[in-house]
Amino acid sequence: MGRSRRTIPEELLLLALDPATGTTAQPQSLDLGLAGAQLVELALAGRIAPDGDRIAVVMPRPTGDPTLDSALELLRRRGSPVRAVHWIGGPRLGLRQTYLSHLERCGMVHAVEGQMCGVLPTTRYQATDTAISREIRARLDSAIRTGVPPDPRTAALAALAHAVGLGKHLYPGNEGRSSRSRLRDLIRHDPMGGLVAHAVMDVQNGVGAQPRRSPTAGPGGGVPSQPRRGGTMARAAM
């Protein structure tokens, strides 16, 4: 998998990053969204495919992206298709921080160390090239404004942005209500993105006991640094 293209998890995280505060919007649901975005990216790479409301590995060959390949290997080890809602709802310790650290290594963000209450260490992240974030946002804006069906990547990104609650961050207030509604409607343009987005929302709503009939059915700051755990960098970032 070439690295000339940003992955959907990277783009979702850049969308969520607040340029003014260096924190991420909707941090708890964003963790779920990143796990879902990995599934969409693996599907676009031809490694997995939907099987009803489950995810099946169809090509276990690595993509070349270490974080995606780790997810692919975990799916492969399951041995049988796994329900998307169960996968997304599983433990994802440090996934957001993993991607923030990755973006930092790639030069897309830089860490700003500080203190909370003058004592507790904090880490905020600032985009180093705001043009990248503007380009990602422009794709969503264009799909919302024109009504033209977006490409699968943009459709999936829109679905995930809606699922994790970024609509109110991207299009705030009463004036953004129609844009938030159209963002939600973009979920229907990508079956895999729709399946994953609904799974993200189901996890947040505590739903998961019964399979969904159709994956495209209708739509339902930094913090103190922490010690390393299990070798995963665990500097918390809101």
Side-chain angles (χ1 to χ4, degrees):
M1 182 180 206
R3 294 300 299 144
S4 59
R5 172 179 287 174
R6 294 181 301 273
T7 65
I8 293 176
E10 293 166 3
E11 292 196 329
L12 183 65
L13 187 51
L14 287 170
L15 268 182
L17 193 63
D18 190 316
T21 65
T23 63
T24 52
Q26 305 297 110
Q28 285 74 36
S29 56
L30 182 60
D31 289 341
L32 302 176
L34 289 172
Q38 287 185 315
L39 294 181
V40 177
E41 192 65 49
L42 287 170
L44 289 171
R47 290 345 190 244
I48 65 174
D51 180 5
D53 68 341
R54 297 175 182 267
I55 303 297
V57 175
V58 296
M59 183 189 298
R61 179 166 56 85
T63 66
D65 181 303
T67 308
L68 290 176
D69 289 341
S70 176
L72 179 62
E73 177 61 14
L74 289 174
L75 285 166
R76 185 193 67 79
R77 289 179 184 176
R78 293 292 185 97
S80 60
V82 59
R83 288 188 63 196
V85 69
H86 290 163
W87 172 261
I88 290 168
R92 292 292 180 273
L93 180 64
L95 186 59
R96 182 164 29 112
Q97 182 59 51
T98 294
Y99 272 106
L100 282 167
S101 299
H102 167 72
L103 291 178
E104 185 180 12
R105 288 192 300 272
C106 292
M108 284 190 269
V109 303
H110 70 276
V112 179
E113 306 295 341
Q115 290 184 327
M116 180 183 293
C117 301
V119 178
L120 299 175
T122 63
T123 304
R124 300 172 185 267
Y125 291 85
Q126 299 289 343
T128 55
D129 186 354
T130 56
I132 295 175
S133 297
R134 288 198 302 269
E135 182 272 328
I136 298 169
R137 174 67 180 271
R139 282 165 39 213
L140 289 187
D141 290 346
S142 177
I144 287 173
R145 183 179 63 254
T146 65
V148 176
D151 64 273
R153 300 185 71 83
T154 301
L157 181 62
L160 286 162
H162 166 69
V164 303
L166 288 184
K168 59 186 177 183
H169 168 70
L170 299 170
Y171 308 103
N174 288 332
E175 65 275 15
R177 184 177 300 172
S178 62
S179 292
R180 292 195 299 272
S181 177
R182 289 193 290 271
L183 180 70
R184 178 198 63 209
D185 291 344
L186 290 175
I187 202 169
R188 70 182 186 275
H189 289 295
D190 180 64
M192 183 66 180
L195 167 65
V196 169
H198 281 301
V200 168
M201 290 185 285
D202 282 348
V203 172
Q204 294 179 82
N205 293 329
V207 178
Q210 296 298 325
R212 197 175 270 279
R213 292 182 180 179
S214 169
T216 55
V223 299
S225 299
Q226 299 176 356
R228 294 175 182 268
R229 298 180 184 177
T232 300
M233 183 180 295
R235 287 186 303 177
M238 292 293 289

